[in-house]
Amino acid sequence: THSYIGMTQDVSLNGLQVLSNTHVENGMVLKLSSHMLDAVAIVVNSRSDNTMLRKRWRLGLKFITLRFHQVQGTFVKIEA
């Protein structure tokens, strides 16, 4: 197994977007681990997002499994 670092963007209950320095093919299944969540997701799109200074990839991921570390307040606020 390999470990890669990426920056998450646009997190929803269905998936998220990741900026990565590593190209990942569509259809690849990834295990994600962060301070906010643990998940398994499939890459549904991958496109280059290069700047003058660096080469990077914008990955669209769809969750297969998802577990938030903080049970309350992540997306839904519960009130009595």
Side-chain angles (χ1 to χ4, degrees), residues 15-69:
L16 59 85
Q17 188 176 92
V18 174
L19 288 177
S20 173
N21 294 332
T22 305
H23 175 63
V24 180
E25 295 289 334
N26 288 353
M28 184 173 241
V29 176
L30 305 176
K31 180 181 175 185
L32 309 171
S33 192
S34 75
H35 70 282
M36 189 171 91
L37 59 85
D38 289 319
V40 175
I42 188 166
V43 179
V44 293
N45 62 63
S46 175
R47 60 188 166 111
S48 64
D49 189 33
N50 299 329
T51 65
M52 299 267 307
L53 300 175
R54 65 179 158 180
K55 186 174 186 177
R56 64 183 183 177
W57 297 89
R58 189 173 297 272
L59 309 174
L61 308 179
K62 181 179 178 183
F63 292 130
I64 298 170
T65 63
L66 171 63
R67 183 179 70 82
F68 287 102
H69 296 287

